[in-house]
Amino acid sequence: TDSHLAILYNDESVLENHHAATTFVLLHRHGLLTHLSNEEYRELRRLMCKTILGTDMASHKHSITDCSTMSAAGRATDCVDVLKGILHLADLSNAVLCWSLCRRWGLCVCDEFRQQAQQEQAVGLPVTPHMSKLNSRLDIANLQVGFFDFVVTPLWSAAAGAFPAARERMAQLEANRAAWAEERDAAIAEAKENNGTR
């Protein structure tokens, strides 16, 4: 699009570039980097920028591969990969929170997707397919089950081999996926019942 941020960051990882830039503006504004030497500052900036840019979903498969590689090697292969993996896990951590928080965050994401779909439509862009239909309980539950199956579980499963704390969250991830599946099944049953009574 012709949005200011898209033009500023040349359509590449627009939000992630904006987050990295904003982070450093705030760190400078509040004087939080003044104690660092030039060399320390350059290294911190390199690590933070690479880590934040690694949260772009375009890098998701690469994050899974990095976590799998760390797991197979039994050790960290590169500190940047470790930091990127941890931040990406944090970015997708609603799936491993207690069910009430997982569900609340999932519904917030669906609201965000609806708003994005409206904005895309308003400027004449094709609406991102998984954001185009989130009008019912069934739509939302289907999206969430797919999110768990194709996005979250592969990442957290790969990370479980590399990070013990990730391994500890797998039971909650599985319980949350089952809860979304129960919501989906209940919505299907309700729809069948409503269609049968007409």
Side-chain angles (χ1 to χ4, degrees):
T1 69
D2 288 333
S3 78
H4 169 71
L5 293 179
I7 292 169
L8 184 63
Y9 298 114
N10 300 312
D11 300 318
E12 294 291 327
S13 302
V14 173
L15 293 177
E16 294 77 13
N17 272 298
H18 181 63
H19 296 157
T22 302
T23 297
F24 277 91
V25 166
L26 292 171
L27 289 170
H28 282 290
R29 181 180 300 155
H30 296 286
L32 298 173
L33 303 173
T34 56
H35 68 286
L36 298 176
S37 70
N38 287 340
E39 184 179 326
E40 290 169 331
Y41 173 79
R42 280 192 303 274
E43 180 62 6
L44 175 72
R45 181 161 167 75
R46 182 185 76 82
L47 290 173
M48 288 182 70
C49 288
K50 285 188 175 289
T51 301
I52 293 169
L53 292 174
T55 63
D56 186 342
M57 286 304 291
S59 303
H60 182 70
K61 287 184 180 179
H62 187 70
S63 293
I64 293 171
T65 301
D66 287 346
C67 287
S68 296
T69 301
M70 283 185 266
S71 177
R75 60 179 170 71
T77 54
D78 178 36
C79 71
V80 173
D81 291 338
V82 173
L83 293 171
K84 284 174 24 182
I86 290 170
L87 190 58
H88 195 48
L89 288 167
D91 199 27
L92 299 176
S93 65
N94 71 299
V96 299
L97 300 174
C98 69
W99 169 241
S100 63
L101 290 175
C102 172
R103 187 175 191 283
R104 186 183 322 163
W105 278 109
L107 295 175
C108 286
V109 167
C110 288
D111 287 341
E112 181 183 328
F113 285 175
R114 279 189 215 95
Q115 291 172 17
Q116 181 174 331
Q118 289 171 353
Q119 289 173 353
E120 288 172 344
Q121 194 171 31
V123 297
L125 290 172
V127 175
T128 306
H130 68 276
M131 298 181 189
S132 64
K133 188 176 179 245
L134 292 172
N135 303 318
S136 71
R137 217 172 109 205
L138 178 57
D139 296 335
I140 291 168
N142 275 332
L143 176 77
Q144 293 298 327
V145 169
F147 177 66
F148 272 74
D149 290 348
F150 299 107
V151 177
V152 177
T153 302
L155 177 66
W156 278 86
S157 295
F163 306 115
R167 190 175 315 120
E168 294 169 10
R169 303 307 306 158
M170 291 303 292
Q172 186 65 56
L173 183 146
E174 291 164 6
N176 290 340
R177 195 265 183 216
W180 280 117
E182 284 177 24
E183 285 207 12
R184 178 196 58 201
D185 296 346
I188 291 170
E190 182 181 311
K192 285 181 180 176
E193 185 177 306
N194 290 342
N195 287 337
T197 59
R198 290 184 182 164

